[in-house]
Amino acid sequence: MQIFRKKLTPVDIERGLVLPPDSNLELLPPFQGTMELSTIVESAEGTPLAEPVTIHCSTRSGRPAFTTGWYEIARYAGLTGGDIVYFYQEFSEGAQYRMRVRSAG
C-alpha cells in the first residue's frame, strides 16, 4: 500500500525528505522521536539496490522526515528537483518498505 508520493524539491535532496501532509502514516509503526525503516530502493529504470537501505525517520518541525539513508538513495538514483518518489509498505526480500523513484526528465 502506498504511504506517499512526492515531487522532490532541491531542499528535499539537500536537507532530508519531509513527508507530505497527505502521507498515510498509519502504515508506519508508531514512534516517538526516531525510527528506522528497512527499504528496498528501485531506480527509475527499475533496478533495485543490491541490499535494502535503512532509512532513518525522525520528526522535523512536527512532521516526519527521512534523513540518514535518504541521502544515500538520492546519490544512488541521481535525484534532482522535479523527480518523483513513491514509498510503499511492502513485505518482501528482507524489508518492509519499497521506494521507487521516477526521473522528471
Side-chain angles (χ1 to χ4, degrees):
M1 295 190 73
Q2 183 170 301
I3 296 173
F4 70 84
R5 171 193 179 275
K6 185 171 186 183
K7 186 174 184 178
L8 300 176
T9 67
V11 172
D12 291 322
I13 296 164
E14 295 167 11
R15 296 189 188 161
L17 174 64
V18 175
L19 278 57
D22 62 348
S23 297
N24 187 358
L25 299 179
E26 293 172 0
L27 296 176
L28 295 176
F31 74 100
Q32 294 241 352
T34 64
M35 70 176 152
E36 293 184 344
L37 307 171
S38 181
T39 305
I40 295 171
V41 179
E42 287 183 11
S43 69
E45 295 80 29
T47 307
L49 282 173
E51 297 290 324
V53 175
T54 299
I55 300 174
H56 183 89
C57 184
S58 60
T59 54
R60 178 176 296 157
S61 300
R63 294 180 48 201
F66 292 169
T67 53
T68 305
W70 164 249
Y71 302 115
E72 178 183 351
I73 293 166
R75 279 191 306 275
Y76 161 76
L79 296 176
T80 61
D83 291 346
I84 299 173
V85 171
Y86 301 86
F87 192 73
Y88 299 88
Q89 180 182 47
E90 184 177 294
F91 298 95
S92 66
E93 303 171 42
Q96 292 184 322
Y97 301 95
R98 180 175 298 268
M99 179 179 285
R100 293 184 176 106
V101 297
R102 298 291 178 249
S103 175

